[in-house]
Amino acid sequence: RMPASIPEADRRHRASAAFSLSFLSLVFSITAFSSSHWCEGTRKVAKPFCKGDSKGDLCIRFNSPDGNNSQAVQYIWETGDDKFVERNFHAGIWYSCEEMINEEGERCRSFISLTPASDRGVLWLSIVTELLYVVLLLIGNILMSVEIFYYSSVIDGLKINAFSAVVTVLAGLLGMVAHMMYTTVFQMTVNLGPEDWRPHTWDYGWSYGLAWTSFACCMAAAVTTINKYTKTILEFKHKRKKLERSFKIQYNFPDH
């Protein structure tokens, strides 16, 4: 009894590991998809003119006491980068936000509206692919949970296992393509986007890393599922050979 229960326990452990990886992948993908921190950086924003008694480094002072008179000749003694202030920004699939000058909070705009018209179709394709990625991950999670808790025989479990492996692999491929398409669109938007949005410095944010971590977990779940399926098939073949040998011994023994 003990040797027969070890393969079953091993299959359970592998199924649980695959489900855990797939569930993590689903959580990470939903979090990244709804976040706006795929890319982060700074923008150089021109300082506004100081109004009234405004002081500080976030506005430009006049040397003329009559600063409100538009006809007065006004000189700005600041030069170069002193005319600008750097504001943090972050962007995701859905929207881009940046800090306000002299105000608290952020100003957000739709990232789709910032994307060049020639690349907008690729962005929408990326969004659809990301949604399919999440849907397939959800289906894979449901199949894996059914395999763990509800299947009645090893054969039924193998059928569910094979289907969940195919779904998970397909989800991983779609996720990889979606992430790469968004990366391309963002880089094109940096070069060809509106002047009042283009970043001065930028890098990929935590959501981008989370999206690729989701892809890694998805592929790990797929490999674990395929490995479990292959090992179960090999165990069946091994048991069949042992059974055939035992039958041969039983039927050949009377002849001797």
Side-chain angles (χ1 to χ4, degrees):
R1 292 182 181 178
M2 184 63 68
S5 63
I6 291 176
E8 177 64 25
D10 183 61
R11 281 194 290 270
R12 289 281 182 179
H13 288 318
R14 289 175 182 272
S16 299
F19 174 76
S20 300
L21 287 168
S22 182
F23 182 75
L24 278 177
S25 179
L26 178 64
V27 172
F28 289 165
S29 64
I30 292 175
T31 305
F33 187 62
S34 59
S35 170
S36 64
H37 288 266
W38 285 61
C39 299
E40 300 173 341
T42 59
R43 287 190 61 245
K44 275 191 174 182
V45 181
K47 295 179 181 178
F49 293 122
C50 294
K51 297 180 180 179
D53 296 331
S54 299
K55 295 181 180 180
D57 298 329
L58 298 181
C59 63
I60 299 174
R61 301 287 302 172
F62 303 124
N63 69 328
S64 169
D66 190 13
N68 293 326
N69 187 354
S70 61
Q71 296 179 352
V73 179
Q74 300 164 348
Y75 297 95
I76 301 173
W77 295 102
E78 295 174 302
T79 58
D81 289 341
D82 289 337
K83 294 180 182 179
F84 298 92
V85 61
E86 289 191 348
R87 299 284 86 183
N88 294 325
F89 87 99
H90 53 89
I93 293 178
W94 299 106
Y95 52 92
S96 173
C97 298
E98 63 184 73
E99 289 180 321
M100 301 283 286
I101 302 179
N102 295 325
E103 293 181 24
E104 294 184 358
E106 295 180 328
R107 180 171 69 100
C108 295
R109 289 180 282 180
S110 169
F111 184 74
I112 298 172
S113 64
L114 299 172
T115 308
S118 58
D119 298 309
R120 208 160 287 168
V122 180
L123 179 60
W124 277 112
L125 186 60
S126 171
I127 292 173
V128 172
T129 310
E130 284 281 356
L131 286 172
L132 287 175
Y133 172 56
V134 173
V135 169
L136 287 177
L137 280 177
L138 181 60
I139 293 174
N141 272 270
I142 293 172
L143 290 172
M144 290 178 188
S145 62
V146 168
E147 179 191 358
I148 293 173
F149 299 109
Y150 296 106
Y151 76 88
S152 57
S153 67
V154 178
I155 300 299
D156 293 337
L158 268 178
K159 292 177 182 178
I160 298 174
N161 186 243
F163 192 49
S164 62
V166 172
V167 169
T168 308
V169 170
L170 183 58
L173 293 175
L174 287 175
M176 180 182 67
V177 171
H179 303 345
M180 293 176 66
M181 282 194 296
Y182 176 79
T183 303
T184 303
V185 170
F186 185 83
Q187 291 175 350
M188 292 300 294
T189 307
V190 168
N191 296 324
L192 304 175
E195 288 285 348
D196 65 341
W197 177 84
R198 292 183 194 176
H200 177 60
T201 60
W202 66 276
D203 202 351
Y204 297 110
W206 63 265
S207 295
Y208 188 80
L210 200 64
W212 283 108
T213 304
S214 169
F215 165 75
C217 289
C218 176
M219 296 311 295
V223 170
T224 305
T225 307
I226 293 171
N227 181 267
K228 174 180 176 293
Y229 177 82
T230 306
K231 190 171 182 179
T232 306
I233 293 295
L234 291 175
E235 286 174 359
F236 271 119
K237 288 183 178 180
H238 180 66
K239 288 180 180 178
R240 188 178 67 181
K241 287 181 180 179
K242 287 180 66 176
L243 196 62
E244 288 175 354
R245 287 175 185 171
S246 65
F247 276 130
K248 284 182 181 179
I249 292 173
Q250 288 176 6
Y251 284 106
N252 290 335
F253 184 75
D255 294 340
H256 293 296

